[in-house]
Amino acid sequence: MSMPGIGPGFLECRSMPTPSPDDVPITLADGEIRLITGVLQQAAAECSAVTAPAEQSDAPLGGVTLGRLALHWSDVVGQRPLLGGTGLTSVTQNREAWYQVRAALSDHAAQVSRTLELDGTVAVDRARHRAHDALLLADRIAEASHGW
């Protein structure tokens, strides 16, 4: 018995997308999103990762590269739908992508620390604060994704 007014494909069109079991949503503040984006862009530039301009930033990130992640996060910065006006955004990525984000944040903090030791300059508070934030964010991502 068919229901009146409901045609084929109704459920497919109206149903919510089913997240992959590998997807992990993490709620981030605007500054954290900008930090991640900047770190990924710098990391991609340093390793000469190239993402084809025709590649869609919302394409699945299977085969994660720093170039694709940097492109994806640049898109996140541009589209931040804030959660209830709180300045927070929920970002969902697969575990491999989150692992790469953590690695880039940790590497960034290490690079800043090495540079500060070598330079020995006094005006390093901002760089040191950014490195500290990067490490804290990497730890938070690890906790949010169950410590893998």
Side-chain angles (χ1 to χ4, degrees):
M1 170 183 238
S2 81
M3 296 181 72
I6 298 178
F10 174 79
L11 292 177
E12 292 84 11
C13 294
R14 302 285 193 264
S15 63
M16 296 290 289
T18 306
S20 162
D22 201 30
D23 289 346
V24 177
I26 298 178
T27 302
L28 301 167
D30 181 60
E32 294 170 325
I33 290 171
R34 290 189 183 283
L35 174 62
I36 290 170
T37 302
V39 166
L40 289 171
Q41 288 171 342
Q42 179 182 352
E46 287 174 358
C47 72
S48 300
V50 177
T51 302
E55 192 170 355
Q56 296 294 323
S57 61
D58 61 349
L61 290 177
V64 174
T65 67
L66 286 172
R68 284 184 184 155
L69 277 174
L71 182 64
H72 171 74
W73 280 87
S74 294
D75 191 46
V76 169
V77 166
Q79 294 183 354
R80 286 183 324 276
L82 303 178
L83 296 176
T86 62
L88 301 174
T89 303
S90 181
V91 179
T92 300
Q93 295 189 131
N94 65 36
R95 292 182 187 280
E96 181 183 356
W98 280 123
Y99 178 82
Q100 292 297 331
V101 169
R102 286 177 44 216
L105 288 167
S106 296
D107 186 59
H108 171 76
Q111 285 180 12
V112 169
S113 296
R114 280 192 302 272
T115 301
L116 294 177
E117 283 182 22
L118 295 175
D119 288 348
T121 60
V122 177
V124 296
D125 286 341
R126 186 170 183 175
R128 187 166 291 157
H129 183 71
R130 183 175 163 100
H132 182 258
D133 288 350
L135 284 177
L136 288 176
L137 188 51
D139 285 345
R140 207 173 110 223
I141 290 168
E143 288 175 17
S145 53
H146 310 292
W148 39 257

Coordinates of all heavy atoms in Angstrom, one line a residue, residues 70-107:
A70 N 44.8 22.0 3.8 CA 44.8 23.5 3.8 C 43.7 24.1 3.0 O 43.0 25.0 3.4 CB 46.2 23.9 3.2
L71 N 43.4 23.5 1.9 CA 42.2 23.9 1.0 C 40.9 23.7 1.8 O 40.1 24.6 1.9 CB 42.2 23.1 -0.3 CG 41.1 23.5 -1.3 CD1 41.3 25.0 -1.7 CD2 41.1 22.6 -2.5
H72 N 40.7 22.6 2.4 CA 39.5 22.3 3.2 C 39.4 23.3 4.3 O 38.3 23.8 4.6 CB 39.6 20.9 3.7 CG 38.5 20.5 4.7 ND1 37.2 20.3 4.4 CD2 38.6 20.4 6.1 CE1 36.5 20.0 5.4 NE2 37.3 20.1 6.5
W73 N 40.4 23.6 5.1 CA 40.3 24.5 6.2 C 40.2 25.9 5.8 O 39.5 26.7 6.5 CB 41.6 24.3 7.2 CG 41.3 23.1 8.0 CD1 41.7 21.8 7.7 CD2 40.7 23.1 9.3 NE1 41.2 21.0 8.8 CE2 40.7 21.7 9.7 CE3 40.1 24.1 10.1 CZ2 40.1 21.4 10.9 CZ3 39.6 23.7 11.3 CH2 39.6 22.3 11.7
S74 N 40.7 26.3 4.6 CA 40.4 27.6 4.1 C 38.9 27.8 3.8 O 38.3 28.8 4.1 CB 41.2 27.9 2.8 OG 42.6 27.9 3.1
D75 N 38.3 26.7 3.3 CA 36.9 26.7 3.1 C 36.1 26.8 4.4 O 35.1 27.5 4.5 CB 36.5 25.4 2.3 CG 35.1 25.5 1.8 OD1 34.7 26.5 1.3 OD2 34.4 24.4 2.0
V76 N 36.6 26.1 5.5 CA 35.9 26.1 6.8 C 36.0 27.6 7.3 O 35.0 28.1 7.8 CB 36.6 25.2 7.8 CG1 36.1 25.4 9.2 CG2 36.4 23.7 7.4
V77 N 37.1 28.3 7.1 CA 37.2 29.7 7.6 C 36.1 30.5 6.9 O 35.5 31.4 7.5 CB 38.6 30.2 7.3 CG1 38.6 31.7 7.5 CG2 39.6 29.6 8.3
G78 N 35.9 30.3 5.6 CA 35.0 31.1 4.8 C 33.5 30.8 5.1 O 32.7 31.6 4.8
Q79 N 33.2 29.6 5.6 CA 31.8 29.2 5.7 C 31.4 29.0 7.2 O 30.4 28.4 7.4 CB 31.6 27.8 5.0 CG 31.7 27.9 3.5 CD 31.4 26.6 2.9 OE1 31.2 25.6 3.6 NE2 31.4 26.6 1.6
R80 N 32.1 29.4 8.1 CA 31.9 29.1 9.5 C 30.4 29.4 10.0 O 30.1 30.5 10.3 CB 32.8 29.9 10.4 CG 34.2 29.4 10.5 CD 35.0 30.2 11.4 NE 34.7 31.6 11.5 CZ 35.2 32.6 10.7 NH1 36.0 32.2 9.7 NH2 34.9 33.8 10.9
P81 N 29.6 28.3 10.0 CA 28.2 28.5 10.6 C 28.4 28.4 12.1 O 28.7 27.4 12.6 CB 27.4 27.4 10.0 CG 28.4 26.3 9.7 CD 29.7 27.0 9.5
L82 N 28.2 29.5 12.8 CA 28.4 29.6 14.2 C 27.3 28.9 15.0 O 26.2 28.9 14.6 CB 28.6 31.0 14.7 CG 29.7 31.8 14.0 CD1 29.7 33.2 14.5 CD2 31.0 31.2 14.2
L83 N 27.7 28.1 16.0 CA 26.7 27.4 16.8 C 26.0 28.4 17.8 O 26.6 28.8 18.8 CB 27.4 26.3 17.6 CG 28.1 25.2 16.8 CD1 28.8 24.2 17.7 CD2 27.0 24.4 16.0
G84 N 24.8 28.7 17.5 CA 24.0 29.6 18.4 C 24.6 30.9 18.7 O 24.5 31.5 19.8
G85 N 25.4 31.5 17.8 CA 26.0 32.8 18.0 C 27.2 32.8 19.1 O 27.5 33.8 19.6
T86 N 27.7 31.6 19.4 CA 28.7 31.5 20.4 C 30.1 31.7 19.9 O 31.0 31.8 20.7 CB 28.7 30.0 21.0 OG1 29.0 29.1 20.0 CG2 27.3 29.7 21.6
G87 N 30.3 31.8 18.6 CA 31.7 31.9 18.1 C 32.3 30.6 17.9 O 33.5 30.5 17.7
L88 N 31.5 29.5 18.1 CA 32.1 28.2 17.9 C 31.5 27.5 16.7 O 30.4 27.8 16.2 CB 31.6 27.3 19.1 CG 32.1 27.8 20.5 CD1 31.5 27.0 21.6 CD2 33.6 27.8 20.6
T89 N 32.3 26.6 16.1 CA 31.9 25.9 14.9 C 32.3 24.4 15.1 O 33.4 24.1 15.6 CB 32.7 26.4 13.7 OG1 32.5 27.8 13.6 CG2 32.3 25.8 12.4
S90 N 31.4 23.6 14.7 CA 31.7 22.1 14.7 C 32.3 21.7 13.4 O 31.7 21.9 12.3 CB 30.4 21.3 15.0 OG 30.7 20.0 15.0
V91 N 33.5 21.2 13.4 CA 34.2 20.7 12.2 C 34.3 19.2 12.3 O 34.7 18.6 13.3 CB 35.6 21.3 12.1 CG1 36.3 20.9 10.9 CG2 35.5 22.9 12.2
T92 N 33.8 18.5 11.2 CA 33.9 17.1 11.1 C 34.9 16.7 10.1 O 34.9 17.2 9.0 CB 32.5 16.5 10.8 OG1 31.6 16.9 11.8 CG2 32.5 15.0 10.7
Q93 N 35.8 15.8 10.5 CA 36.8 15.2 9.6 C 37.0 13.8 9.9 O 36.7 13.3 11.0 CB 38.1 15.9 9.7 CG 38.2 17.4 9.3 CD 39.6 17.9 9.3 OE1 39.9 18.5 8.3 NE2 40.4 17.7 10.3
N94 N 37.6 13.0 9.0 CA 37.9 11.6 9.4 C 39.2 11.6 10.2 O 39.9 12.6 10.4 CB 38.1 10.8 8.1 CG 39.2 11.2 7.2 OD1 40.3 11.6 7.7 ND2 39.1 11.0 5.9
R95 N 39.4 10.5 10.8 CA 40.5 10.3 11.8 C 41.8 10.6 11.2 O 42.7 11.2 11.8 CB 40.5 9.0 12.4 CG 39.3 8.8 13.3 CD 39.3 7.4 14.0 NE 38.0 7.1 14.7 CZ 37.8 7.6 15.9 NH1 38.6 8.4 16.5 NH2 36.6 7.4 16.5
E96 N 42.0 10.2 9.9 CA 43.3 10.5 9.3 C 43.6 12.0 9.2 O 44.7 12.5 9.4 CB 43.4 9.8 7.9 CG 44.7 10.0 7.2 CD 44.8 9.4 5.8 OE1 43.8 8.8 5.4 OE2 45.8 9.7 5.2
A97 N 42.5 12.7 8.8 CA 42.6 14.2 8.6 C 42.9 14.8 10.0 O 43.8 15.7 10.1 CB 41.4 14.8 8.0
W98 N 42.3 14.4 11.1 CA 42.5 15.0 12.4 C 43.9 14.6 12.8 O 44.6 15.4 13.4 CB 41.5 14.5 13.4 CG 40.2 15.2 13.4 CD1 39.0 14.6 13.2 CD2 40.0 16.6 13.5 NE1 38.0 15.6 13.2 CE2 38.6 16.8 13.4 CE3 40.8 17.7 13.7 CZ2 38.0 18.0 13.6 CZ3 40.2 18.9 13.9 CH2 38.8 19.1 13.8
Y99 N 44.4 13.4 12.5 CA 45.8 13.1 12.8 C 46.8 14.0 12.1 O 47.7 14.5 12.7 CB 46.0 11.6 12.4 CG 47.5 11.2 12.7 CD1 47.8 10.8 14.0 CD2 48.4 11.2 11.7 CE1 49.1 10.4 14.3 CE2 49.7 10.8 12.0 CZ 50.1 10.4 13.3 OH 51.4 10.1 13.5
Q100 N 46.5 14.3 10.9 CA 47.4 15.2 10.1 C 47.4 16.6 10.7 O 48.4 17.3 10.8 CB 47.0 15.2 8.6 CG 47.3 13.9 7.9 CD 48.8 13.5 7.9 OE1 49.6 14.4 7.9 NE2 49.0 12.3 7.8
V101 N 46.2 17.1 11.1 CA 46.1 18.4 11.8 C 46.9 18.4 13.0 O 47.7 19.3 13.3 CB 44.6 18.7 12.0 CG1 44.5 20.0 12.9 CG2 43.8 18.9 10.7
R102 N 46.7 17.4 13.9 CA 47.5 17.3 15.1 C 49.0 17.3 14.8 O 49.8 18.0 15.5 CB 47.2 16.0 15.9 CG 45.8 16.1 16.6 CD 45.5 14.8 17.3 NE 46.6 14.2 18.0 CZ 46.8 12.9 18.1 NH1 46.0 12.0 17.5 NH2 47.8 12.4 18.8
A103 N 49.4 16.5 13.8 CA 50.9 16.5 13.5 C 51.4 17.8 13.0 O 52.5 18.3 13.4 CB 51.1 15.4 12.4
A104 N 50.6 18.5 12.2 CA 51.0 19.9 11.7 C 51.1 20.8 12.9 O 52.0 21.7 13.0 CB 50.0 20.3 10.7
L105 N 50.1 20.8 13.8 CA 50.2 21.7 15.0 C 51.4 21.4 15.9 O 52.1 22.3 16.3 CB 48.9 21.5 15.8 CG 47.6 22.1 15.2 CD1 46.4 21.6 16.0 CD2 47.7 23.6 15.2
S106 N 51.7 20.1 16.1 CA 52.8 19.8 16.9 C 54.1 20.2 16.3 O 55.0 20.7 16.9 CB 52.8 18.2 17.2 OG 51.7 17.9 17.9
D107 N 54.2 19.9 15.0 CA 55.4 20.3 14.2 C 55.6 21.9 14.2 O 56.7 22.4 14.4 CB 55.3 19.8 12.8 CG 56.6 20.1 12.0 OD1 57.7 19.6 12.5 OD2 56.6 20.8 11.0

